[in-house]
Structure formats: C-alpha cells, structure tokens
Amino acid sequence: MTTTRHACLERDARDPLAPLRDAFALPEGMIYLDGNSLGARPRAALERANQVVAEEWGNGLIGSWNEAGWRALPERLGNQLARLIGADDDEVVITDTTSINLFKVLVAALRVQAERDPSRKVIVTERSNFPTDIYMVEGLADLLQQGYSLRLVDRPEAFPAAIGSDTAVALITQVNYKTGYLYDMQALTAHAHECGALTIWDLCHSAGAVPIDLKAANADYAIGCTYKYLNGGPGSPAFVWVAPALRELVWQPLSGWWGHARQFGMETRYEPAPGIGRYLCGTQPITSLAMIECGLEIFARTDMQALRAKSLALTDLFIERVQARCGQHPLELVTPLEHARRGSHVSFEHPEGYAVIQALIERGVVGDYREPRIMRFGFTPLYTRFVDVWDAAETLGEILDNETWRQERFMTRKQVT
Amino acid sequence: MTTTRHACLERDARDPLAPLRDAFALPEGMIYLDGNSLGARPRAALERANQVVAEEWGNGLIGSWNEAGWRALPERLGNQLARLIGADDDEVVITDTTSINLFKVLVAALRVQAERDPSRKVIVTERSNFPTDIYMVEGLADLLQQGYSLRLVDRPEAFPAAIGSDTAVALITQVNYKTGYLYDMQALTAHAHECGALTIWDLCHSAGAVPIDLKAANADYAIGCTYKYLNGGPGSPAFVWVAPALRELVWQPLSGWWGHARQFGMETRYEPAPGIGRYLCGTQPITSLAMIECGLEIFARTDMQALRAKSLALTDLFIERVQARCGQHPLELVTPLEHARRGSHVSFEHPEGYAVIQALIERGVVGDYREPRIMRFGFTPLYTRFVDVWDAAETLGEILDNETWRQERFMTRKQVT
C-alpha cells in the first residue's frame, strides 16, 4: 500500500476523533510522539490548576478538604478512570506512585497465596519489564527474607511456560515499554489461574491506549500511571485496582491513616477500610491530583474502541512509511506487526538510536530513546494526526539520508522519564 | 499582665516580621489559625503553578524533565529545606508522603539494629502520636512477622523511661499534634543513644515552626510534611533526612527506579544510589512539588530564631487572652505553659469543642478540632498578627458567653486533614 501526504490530510479531515485535538494545548510546530512518556496538556488543566491554587487553596484553605471535595478525589477520579479499564464504580483509587502501588498489591497477592499455598515463592515477570517493577519485587523479597525470588522471562512467548506450580504471582506489564508488545490479558490471566498463580497487571503503557477489561479478563490486581496516555500531568498520582473478591482478604502494609476504616477516629489501632479505600495511605498532592480530571474528561467524549481503531491506523501508517522512506538504513522494527500484539507505540532499533532521536527532536519531531539503541514513537489518537505520522517519517528519512545525527553523536546523554 | 487591642496593633506595627505577611494571599476578613494543618498560599505559588502547567508541561513537554529541572526538584528543594532543620546540602529529599517516608526510615532503622543487636524488637512512640505513625509501624510489624511490637507511651514525661535495652527505635513526633507539646530533641536523642536505640523524628508539626538542628542533636532519621508551617500547598510531597553515617548502611525497601544508582541504565538488578537519593522511589507529582519552593523562599527572608520569638509571643498572648476573656467557661489548656515545651499551636479542651470550633469558623476565625474535645489554634509567625490573636480570643469569648455554639451542636461532623 502506498499513500501520499495529501491522502494523510484527507484522512485527518475524515477522522471523527480529529476535533478532540483542540482539547489539548500543543506547541506550535512540534510533532509530539512522546505521549507514551508524558501526555500533552489538556487545555482545561491550566484553568483547573488556577482554580485549585487560587480559589480552593488560597481562599478555601483548610475548608477545601470538604467543600472543594479534595478528600474524595482519589475515589471520584478513580470512578472516572474505572470505565477505561473495565472496572466498576468504587473499585479504583488514584493515589501515590506506580512503584508504591505495586508494593501494596504485591504484598497483598503474596499474603493471599501464603494462605492458599505457602510453597509458592516465585514472582514471574519479563526481564525487559520497566525496571521499577523488577526493583520493587527485589526490595520486597529482600525485606521479607522468606525465600521469594524473581523469575525473569526473556521473550513474551515464553511467559506462559514460566508460570508453574511454584509461582505465586505473574507480574505482567500489559504493553512493554520498549517494544510495544501487547499481552493478551484474558488468555494469560486464565493460564496463570490454571497454574494457581495470581496476576498483577501493570497498565502504565496501556491505560488510555488500548481497550482493557479487567473484570472480563478475571484479573486480580492492576496498577498504572496517569501521566502517559491519560494526560494527567507530570508525575500525576497513579492508580490501583483490586478484584473485589480479593480486596478484603488481607491488609496492604502501607497502612497509613487514609486507609483506616475511620480516618478521623484518631484511634491507636489500624483497621483497614472496607473497599478499595484500604489501598490509600497518606495525604495526596492535590494540585497534581485534581488535574487528572481534565484528561479523563476528554476520554468521556469518545470510547476506547474508536481510539484503538485510530491507534492501529496510526501505527500501521508509521511502520509502513518508515519502511518505505528509510528502508535502506539499518533500522529494525522491534514492535509486533500483528495488531493483537501491538500497543500504541512503535520502536525501531538503530545503531545510533540516541543521536538520531536527538536530531529528530532538534527538528521538532519528539520521540524518545531507551537503552539499548531503541527509538520510541508514541501515537496518541486523541491528538496525533495522520499527517504528523507522514511528516515524522519524512523527517526521519532526511536525517538518516543526510546523516544529520552525526553532529548529535557526541553530546552528553540526557534522559527523560 | 493586661493588654489592649490597641497595644496589639502597636506590636504589629513594630514587628520586624510583619512585612512577610504580604507574601501570602489570605482571604479578606478571615483570621486563619490553621496553618498547622494547611499553610496559607504564598502569592508566588499561583504564578509558579501557571509556569509549570502552561510553560513547562504545555510547551516544554517531555523535555522539561531536564530543561525545566523537574528531575532535580527532590534534591534541589531538599537543599532549601535543609537549612530550616539543621541538615546540610545533599542530605534531604522531598518526595512521597510522610507515611511512606516513615516506612522507609523505619525499615532502615530496624535493619541497622538487626545488625547491631537483633534482640531489640520494640518501637517506642506516644499513644497520642498522630495515628498514621502508629499505623505504619503496625503495618510493618505485621508484614515482617519477626516479633516487632509497639510500646505506647501515655505521657511525654514517661518517654525516656520507656526506652530500654529491648528498644530498637524511638519514634518521636517532635511537636504533638493535639497538645502542642515540644520534645527536647537533643536530650531525648542522647538518652535513646545511651540506651542503644535509634531515633526517628517526625517533624510534621515542627518544621518551619520551631528551630531544629538535626545534626547538633545527633539525630538518626527525620521525616515530615511540607504543607503545614512550610506552606507548600495541599498535600505537597514530604521530606526525608538520614544521618550520613547511617545512610549507606542499608537499603530502604521501596526500591523504585528513582533510587537506583543509574536511573536510566534500565538494569535488571537494583543498586541503591549513593547518598540520600536512595530514599527516592517513583515519579513525583511535579506541579505540587514545584510550588513548595514558593513557601521555602519566604523562610529565606528571615530565620528560625526570629520566627520562634514571635511564635512564643503569639501563643503567650493567646493563652493569656483566652484565660482573661473566657476564664469563667469550662476551657482547659492542654498545651504546656513552659516555652521550652511548647510548639506553635495552642489547644484547649472544651466539652463542646466541636460545636465551638464550628461557631468560630462561621465567624471567620478558623481553628480546627481533634477528637476528643480538643480545639486547636495554630500560630504562623510569617502571617499571624498580634491583633488577630486579640480578635480570635474576643470572638471565642463572645461565642462562649452567648452559647452561639449550641446551634452548631447537631451538625454533621466534618473533618479535615
């Protein structure tokens, strides 16, 4: 299939999601393909920040915990997010960070397994999982000194076979941050359950990017961040979901006063709240938390099926254009071609990946780089246009043809989260 | 000693700290005596929030992690805060919540003790400590299942004797959130060390309120929040300090990627960063974090000795005026009269404390209520005036004389953090 820039403009003109781009404040002249790392700013977020800081904090002061609804934000925003991941009302809270929430659900899952079958001591995850997931397991295993260990899987296809009778938990990041590989949540959960393992799904690179149905998949625990495809703002708090059947079985150990059954009872014994509220711990950063709503409200104007269809069209087009325009260069696609296995970002390896990404950024095409050699390009159907995809591939082609990247090669490496 | 409202106005006119009040946006007509719960808004915070949201997020996007200095915020703001608590550069980070940071240092302290004397299994703290401190110890003890237990002290005077040869850690909130009792950090730390115990100081109600010298006191660990006397904004992230001699001895178990020696090495084994950076875990809420600087910059225009002198003058005046104006009512002062034992808030018990506080708030005097029966009034020398103290005591007297609180008595209790 061949296409033209003009055909891309026509696709944008026909795109039913195109009007949603206006909900975002995007810098003039930039093609932003890094929404998989930090989502763009919803226009409404500026007004919301002003409202929180000037009115709610400045004028409402302490009264705003009740009157401006600050206290209920983790649950209220959790309900708005729930519909994007196949959870029901009162099943999700937005709080803390992905790493901290992982610690909570990991302990919970291990406690459930310790009751069911204490011989299960293995946590299975991908070797190429985002490092914090691996580090948090290490930190917990080292803390407990109860013989827990990690089993690191080298290829996604090898994941099912790595879950066995010794496995307590399968910790799966649904979309791999490097390759964009998308796991089949329903199939892998079913397989894990057959093996007697519980599943923790890290949705950092899939929430807001692909349709997710935690309940239909019979998943056990899920965590994820809100600042990538959900456009919550830099470092906005993360979310946590626990299957209702598991939720009240155990405590999570970060048992701060926000998770207490009677937060203001000022008691001297901890008693976890019923429901997902027991996954709260301390006081949350309200300004950063409140802005998450602005991103979630944009999702309420569409649905994940429409977003998924456009996401696949965008990533198909990018793969096709890069292969057509840059085929003579040493680029290797590391993202699956199969739709069912692809998230919403596309990665290519290039021997000079870091320098090439820097050259692209210099020319206004913002992707990012991940060790080793991986150039990542994220496609956010809410604001990425087909013509952006065309132009990005063209710019990449020019940089590779002209070896523009050579001048970036010896710059100090800067890294972003 | 008797005084007059006019004399209070004269004291304000002479007060060298009075000009700092202009750095805050305070609601017209409100006497805000709850800065010990949520500090008032520095005027500069609104502009800073706008800058972060509109410019740094909106235009800088992912590049702002480096170019706007987001990555370095935990350390950079930690350095600004360090001078207020007697710590040196590169010893403090601002991150996560007080509860989460307590978990980190608690595990660290127990690990150090496990090496030194594994028979020490007791954590000593006040029964009337802020509940989250107690709950976090419970959560950890329950997680470890290694025989750790809490010893709850009923009176501050009994704290030293409660530390013994079985004590691993003394967890002391320097200023009690209910009574305003101020512990002697130097003396209690020295005593704990003589007993072989380590100290964790919770500075939530003392940082920015009383002079603190962690290094001179030879303290071991300190944590605290930034949204009370430090005026960082609602739920702004908390801080953590560890004595350099203890810092590298052990891991803390919330070992997320931000605490790794090479954050972007994307390695599969955790290696803690040298220095206080190992107490970082996940990505921080940048908008809420960045505003903390606006509060800290106001402190840079004065010093803790000047603030302490005014704080004591304000609390002295309030105690004197309430006793003079409301002496016939059933009010009981629960805050120490002795300067060396008093923080920057004053608490009275009243049988109808909740209703009285509601009546005060209705009349624009904002204090708060804590179970059971405690009315709290916080005095922030950066923006509280002597005339505010006079007027607050007068209003309290009128409410008690007229039993205005009776109409508030049957309202639903609302609580604030």
Side-chain angles (χ1 to χ4, degrees), chain A residues 66-309:
Chain A
N66 292 309
E67 279 128 48
W70 291 350
R71 280 187 66 194
L73 277 175
E75 292 88 352
R76 188 168 67 78
L77 300 180
N79 285 345
Q80 286 182 258
L81 193 149
R83 59 176 284 277
L84 300 182
I85 58 174
D88 289 331
D89 273 359
D90 304 324
E91 291 186 358
V92 175
V93 283
I94 302 190
T95 189
D96 295 329
T97 66
T98 304
S99 299
I100 298 289
N101 289 338
L102 174 54
F103 190 85
K104 297 171 189 169
V105 298
L106 198 54
V107 172
L110 295 181
R111 285 180 158 177
V112 170
Q113 288 288 26
E115 290 288 318
R116 290 181 180 173
D117 179 357
S119 73
R120 293 177 177 270
K121 297 287 193 188
V122 174
I123 294 108
V124 179
T125 198
E126 266 194 292
R127 188 180 302 280
S128 73
N129 198 348
F130 191 76
T132 212
D133 290 40
I134 295 171
Y135 302 159
M136 294 306 292
V137 176
E138 279 189 274
L140 177 63
D142 187 58
L143 177 65
L144 294 178
Q145 296 290 317
Q146 293 170 11
Y148 288 107
S149 67
L150 265 166
R151 177 176 300 143
L152 297 178
V153 178
D154 283 308
R155 293 173 306 108
E157 297 76 13
F159 209 127
I163 304 172
S165 58
D166 60 356
T167 306
V169 173
L171 165 58
I172 313 127
T173 296
Q174 193 185 10
V175 173
N176 183 283
Y177 81 105
K178 285 184 180 174
T179 63
Y181 183 95
L182 169 64
Y183 280 93
D184 182 332
M185 182 182 282
Q186 188 140 12
L188 195 51
T189 300
H191 174 73
H193 288 175
E194 277 164 30
C195 300
L198 291 167
T199 54
I200 297 175
W201 288 92
D202 178 339
L203 309 180
C204 279
H205 287 267
S206 49
V210 301
I212 298 169
D213 197 334
L214 289 166
K215 302 292 277 274
N218 203 18
D220 302 304
Y221 305 89
I223 53 163
C225 84
T226 63
Y227 54 75
K228 298 180 186 291
Y229 291 99
L230 297 173
N231 307 301
S236 53
F239 64 87
V240 53
W241 171 86
V242 178
L246 299 170
R247 204 170 49 203
E248 277 85 8
L249 295 183
V250 294
W251 284 19
Q252 61 85 9
L254 301 177
S255 47
W257 68 310
W258 278 73
H260 195 282
R262 292 166 298 279
Q263 187 186 357
F264 283 94
M266 300 300 177
E267 301 170 20
T268 52
R269 290 299 298 272
Y270 185 73
E271 181 186 321
I276 193 66
R278 66 175 57 196
Y279 280 80
L280 299 175
C281 179
T283 305
Q284 291 302 297
I286 295 298
T287 314
S288 287
L289 180 60
M291 285 190 289
I292 294 172
E293 187 162 25
C294 304
L296 294 175
E297 281 175 348
I298 302 171
F299 281 92
R301 295 163 58 185
T302 178
D303 62 73
M304 287 309 306
Q305 278 63 38
L307 289 168
R308 175 63 170 165

Side-chain angles (χ1 to χ4, degrees), chain B residues 4-15 385-387:
Chain B
T4 62
R5 188 171 196 275
H6 182 73
C8 291
L9 289 168
E10 284 183 341
R11 287 179 83 169
D12 287 323
R14 288 193 310 269
D15 173 19
R385 297 171 299 199
F386 290 97
V387 72

